[in-house]
């Protein structure tokens, strides 16, 4: 995601997360790449997008990217990004356990 304004990049991550949920691997990769953004709000948006991806319905290729991105989010220097990543992991866990029942 390339744009000069961080709020535009953050908004684009919401869309990328939705596309990733539908199985679009490049969009999942864009969410992952956003964890390297210099702006904290963009990294936080990436973490929030993770929580929208869904549990078992996530394609295997995207699932690996999600796990790697969540790990990056938990190690972020900004507490807001770490908190959003933890919430995303919790949401993904709940979605996965609900679908198994």
């Amino acid at each position: 995601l390339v744009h000069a304004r961080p709020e535009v990049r953050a908004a684009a991550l919401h869309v990328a997360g939705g596309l990733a949920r539908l199985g679009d691997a490049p969009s999942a990769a864009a969410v992952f790449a956003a964890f390297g953004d210099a702006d904290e709000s963009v990294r936080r948006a990436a973490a929030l997008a993770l929580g929208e991806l869904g549990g078992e319905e996530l394609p295997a290729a995207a699932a690996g990217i999600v796990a790697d991105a969540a790990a990056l989010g938990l190690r972020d220097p900004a507490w807001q990004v770490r908190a959003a990543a933890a919430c995303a992991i919790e949401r993904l866990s709940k979605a996965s356990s609900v679908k198994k029942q």
Side-chain angles (χ1 to χ4, degrees):
L1 303 173
V2 181
H3 196 280
R5 295 174 49 195
E7 61 271 17
V8 173
R9 295 193 306 273
L13 284 167
H14 178 70
V15 175
L19 291 172
R21 184 174 186 178
L22 295 174
D24 186 60
S27 293
V31 172
F32 178 77
F35 280 97
D37 198 281
D39 191 274
E40 174 185 313
S41 66
V42 175
R43 297 191 312 272
R44 182 175 179 274
L48 292 172
L50 288 180
E52 301 298 322
L53 293 182
E56 290 182 350
E57 69 196 31
L58 196 62
I65 292 171
V66 169
D68 291 344
L72 277 175
L74 291 174
R75 292 190 308 262
D76 196 274
W79 71 266
Q80 296 91 338
V81 177
R82 293 191 306 271
C87 288
I89 291 168
E90 180 180 19
R91 286 183 71 162
L92 290 169
S93 295
K94 285 181 180 178
S96 179
S97 66
V98 166
K99 290 176 186 158
K100 288 180 182 178
Q101 294 177 354

